[in-house]
Amino acid sequence: MKILLAVDGSAFTKKMLGYLTTHEEMFGSHNEITLFTVQAPLPPRARAAVGADVANGYYAEEAAKVTDPVVKFLKRHSIEPKVLHKVGQPGEQIAKAASAGKFDLVLMGSHGHSALGNLVMGSVATQVLAHCDVPVLLVR
């Protein structure tokens, strides 16, 4: 099974990783695991001021801050993940990556906001569920 792990470095990501590693029969090393993180875009003027190379380097560094500890953790559990990162709106980018990569499952942590909280604040998980045609497993 091809599994896309949406990670952001939060406590909710850690909880999702705990779930993943305690359910070896479903999510073990026999699956193809890809880590995916999304960086917020720099304001257009800032990007223009620093140039594309500097901006892309910044995005890569910020993504590595999120994914490197996760890669290290998964390797301790005999899982060798691939790593991808994009720039943009997280919910939209996760859904696009899941479809484009022909993944079988998206696994992500969720803050667990109430319906009113989602209405007021929005939620990456809500956006992924609304736009993704791949099954999504939310861990709260």
Side-chain angles (χ1 to χ4, degrees):
M1 185 162 58
K2 283 182 68 174
I3 302 171
L4 184 68
L5 300 183
V7 297
D8 64 3
S10 70
F12 305 102
T13 292
K14 291 177 185 173
K15 196 167 187 179
M16 177 267 296
L17 292 171
Y19 183 86
L20 175 99
T21 56
T22 57
H23 291 81
E24 171 71 26
E25 68 282 356
M26 281 180 62
F27 305 115
S29 58
H30 56 280
N31 294 299
E32 183 181 321
I33 305 289
T34 301
L35 299 180
F36 187 75
T37 190
V38 180
Q39 301 304 309
L42 292 171
R45 283 187 174 187
R47 184 174 168 84
V50 299
D53 290 340
V54 171
N56 291 336
Y58 167 77
Y59 294 138
E61 286 175 18
E62 292 301 305
K65 288 178 188 176
V66 173
T67 58
D68 287 354
V70 176
V71 169
K72 194 176 197 181
F73 174 81
L74 291 175
K75 284 184 177 182
R76 285 196 310 258
H77 293 276
S78 302
I79 298 172
E80 293 283 334
K82 294 180 184 176
V83 178
L84 297 173
H85 70 91
K86 293 287 183 184
V87 176
Q89 298 301 318
E92 179 183 317
Q93 292 298 326
I94 294 166
K96 281 182 182 178
S99 295
K102 295 184 171 47
F103 285 90
D104 300 307
L105 179 69
V106 175
L107 183 59
M108 60 189 293
S110 173
H111 294 224
H113 293 303
S114 66
L116 179 60
N118 283 341
L119 181 63
V120 174
M121 296 180 283
S123 165
V124 172
T126 302
Q127 293 171 11
V128 172
L129 289 170
H131 296 100
C132 196
D133 57 0
V134 173
V136 178
L137 177 59
L138 299 176
V139 178
R140 286 181 52 182

